[in-house]
Amino acid sequence: MIGDGRFGEFGGTFAPEILVPALEELEAAFLEAMDDAEFLAELDDLLRDYAGRQTPLYRCRNLAAGTGAKIYLKREDLVHGGAHKTNQVLGQALLAKRLGKTRLIAETGAGQHGVATAIVGALFDMETVIYMGELDAERQLPNVQRMELLGARVETVDAGSRTLKDAINEAMRDWASSYETTHYMLGTVAGPHPFPTMVREFQRVIGREARAQILEAEGRLPDVAIACVGGGSNAIGLFYDLLEDDVELVGVEPAGQGLHARKHGLTLGRGRPGILHGSRTFVLQDEHGQIAESHSLAAGLDYPGVGPEHAHLQDIGRVDYVGATDDEVVEAFRALSGAEGIIPAIESAHAVAHALKLARKEGGPEVILVNLSGRGDKDLGRIAGDDHQETV
């Protein structure tokens, strides 16, 4: 490998030997492409004309009524496909074509990354297979139907906890036997180098746009910027271009049913350093050091690991990572929907919940920026139906 993919003591390449040539090939193609004006121009064209960028920055008219705060939403829910995931799959799909690959595979939890991968599979006429935990497929059925309509084959995984972790395991097994013709389109800033760096670079467009837009709207940067964190791709996309600024950065993890119930996904809050899916990062573990199951109302945050750069940013104290419980998330989901006519993904509602908490706090921040990473059509049954009563 050309780089070591380290973020402080985190990151790296802890992958089976059989995958090292594929990772080396991908790293070389990525570095070459990011220095290729023709590649970057084609990606910019697709982001603008196909994905619909730039996305708006919207100041909530009603959500923070009665408080002294202004809440701005970066509307990644308006990207084609319904989430920020489309930003980076366009970049990875162009790399796959550049490498002569004819097949795409991906893992998905909430289904949004699976939908985004199916979209580019159709766009570039590539065979597409999506691995999805059986439990996630049941709770995100509308996205399974969208993937299949777009021409992808959805392989449900019934091993382990039947969630995102197990889908990643199966996708990696597939890639180990097919990398000569197949590109593994990992969906977040996790996994072995170069995935965390590559996905971050393709998601930085969120922060670049938001930074310029809030400067135009307010004449200054926000007091605080907030994003939900599972693997952490939307959060690093928002945070990266604000790291050098005097802006408080907050990542919101799923506190689930609370620590008392031990059903949560607080990887950074309650995890320990370990190796998961090819990199060293914070991982939820049991007393024997085995991977512990996570829990979240949001399938996209139900993952016992986190991107290694987030582990580093917490380690150096640059980003604060907090939790939002399922009850707080449901309240935020309903509040944003009712106050602004915008239905957020349950994942994004974690960030909205923390924004509301800050806005209602006496002496809290005046200008709050929230990355609304996806739309919530897929979650209506889970919030409004009987399923919600059983889950929350």
Side-chain angles (χ1 to χ4, degrees):
M1 306 291 286
I2 298 170
D4 64 6
R6 293 279 185 172
F7 307 95
E9 65 174 281
F10 301 101
T13 307
F14 297 87
E17 191 173 343
I18 192 173
L19 282 179
V20 172
L23 292 167
E24 289 177 336
E25 178 188 55
L26 181 60
E27 181 199 39
F30 167 65
L31 293 174
E32 184 182 273
M34 295 305 283
D35 201 32
D36 182 342
E38 189 174 334
F39 174 90
L40 295 175
E42 185 175 6
L43 179 57
D44 284 347
D45 286 348
L46 285 168
L47 288 170
R48 183 188 63 240
D49 299 333
Y50 187 75
R53 303 205 71 87
Q54 66 178 9
T55 58
L57 182 74
Y58 168 70
R59 178 186 167 185
C60 293
R61 297 185 176 206
N62 308 306
L63 185 64
T67 76
K70 304 173 188 175
I71 297 179
Y72 284 86
L73 305 177
K74 180 58 175 166
R75 296 291 308 276
E76 292 301 294
D77 58 312
L78 295 181
V79 173
H80 175 49
H84 70 292
K85 298 292 188 181
T86 305
N87 300 328
Q88 72 102 2
V89 299
L90 286 169
Q92 288 205 49
L94 289 178
L95 284 179
K97 296 292 284 185
R98 194 180 179 99
L99 288 167
K101 309 296 184 185
T102 58
R103 180 172 178 263
L104 299 175
I105 59 173
E107 83 296 330
T108 193
Q112 292 300 128
H113 176 58
V115 169
T117 303
I119 284 172
V120 295
L123 179 65
F124 292 106
D125 191 24
M126 300 175 79
E127 179 188 356
T128 305
V129 178
I130 311 295
Y131 289 95
M132 191 170 192
E134 191 175 52
L135 178 62
D136 290 340
E138 290 170 1
R139 57 185 177 177
Q140 300 293 346
L141 181 59
N143 274 340
V144 173
Q145 294 168 332
R146 292 170 75 195
M147 286 180 255
E148 291 176 339
L149 179 64
L150 290 162
R153 189 173 85 243
V154 179
E155 292 282 351
T156 55
V157 179
D158 60 6
S161 58
R162 302 180 294 139
T163 57
L164 181 58
K165 166 178 69 69
D166 311 291
I168 293 176
N169 289 340
E170 290 304 314
M172 283 194 160
R173 286 191 189 98
D174 182 324
W175 199 36
S177 62
S178 66
Y179 64 82
E180 290 184 353
T181 59
T182 298
H183 174 65
Y184 177 23
M185 195 169 281
L186 209 154
T188 191
V189 287
H193 176 70
F195 284 109
T197 300
M198 183 175 66
V199 175
R200 180 197 72 201
E201 289 301 303
F202 289 142
Q203 292 290 7
R204 283 181 60 186
V205 64
I206 302 171
R208 276 200 301 271
E209 288 181 7
R211 191 178 189 284
Q213 289 169 319
I214 197 98
L215 280 172
E216 183 178 354
E218 285 289 325
R220 69 179 181 91
L221 293 172
D223 298 303
V224 58
I226 306 170
C228 65
V229 176
S233 65
N234 90 93
I236 207 71
L238 178 68
F239 294 163
Y240 198 75
D241 278 48
L242 296 171
L243 286 176
E244 303 301 320
D245 296 314
D246 185 20
V247 176
E248 182 183 353
L249 304 176
V250 182
V252 186
E253 296 190 296
Q257 296 180 9
L259 295 178
H260 62 282
R262 295 188 177 182
K263 297 191 74 171
H264 60 80
L266 297 170
T267 305
L268 288 159
R270 290 293 183 274
R272 304 197 305 272
I275 306 294
L276 180 63
H277 294 141
S279 68
R280 187 170 193 273
T281 185
F282 266 62
V283 182
L284 291 177
Q285 302 173 49
D286 64 18
E287 61 273 25
H288 305 295
Q290 298 298 310
I291 305 300
E293 289 190 10
S294 60
H295 165 81
S296 174
L297 182 62
L301 306 183
D302 196 352
Y303 180 56
V306 65
E309 192 163 14
H310 285 291
H312 173 62
L313 291 172
Q314 175 175 258
D315 197 40
I316 63 175
R318 179 60 188 95
V319 179
D320 292 325
Y321 295 90
V322 301
T325 66
D326 288 345
D327 287 343
E328 291 170 332
V329 169
V330 171
E331 181 202 349
F333 183 98
R334 294 185 183 281
L336 182 59
S337 300
E340 305 290 342
I342 297 171
I343 303 172
I346 297 180
E347 289 78 11
S348 313
H350 286 69
V352 177
H354 191 68
L356 285 171
K357 197 177 293 182
L358 292 181
R360 293 164 179 165
K361 182 179 176 183
E362 188 174 349
E366 179 185 351
V367 179
I368 301 171
L369 170 63
V370 175
N371 194 28
L372 201 71
S373 56
R375 71 186 191 203
D377 312 43
K378 65 186 177 58
D379 299 317
L380 293 181
R382 194 152 178 78
I383 292 294
D386 292 337
D387 186 37
H388 159 61
Q389 300 301 326
E390 295 173 0
T391 306
V392 177

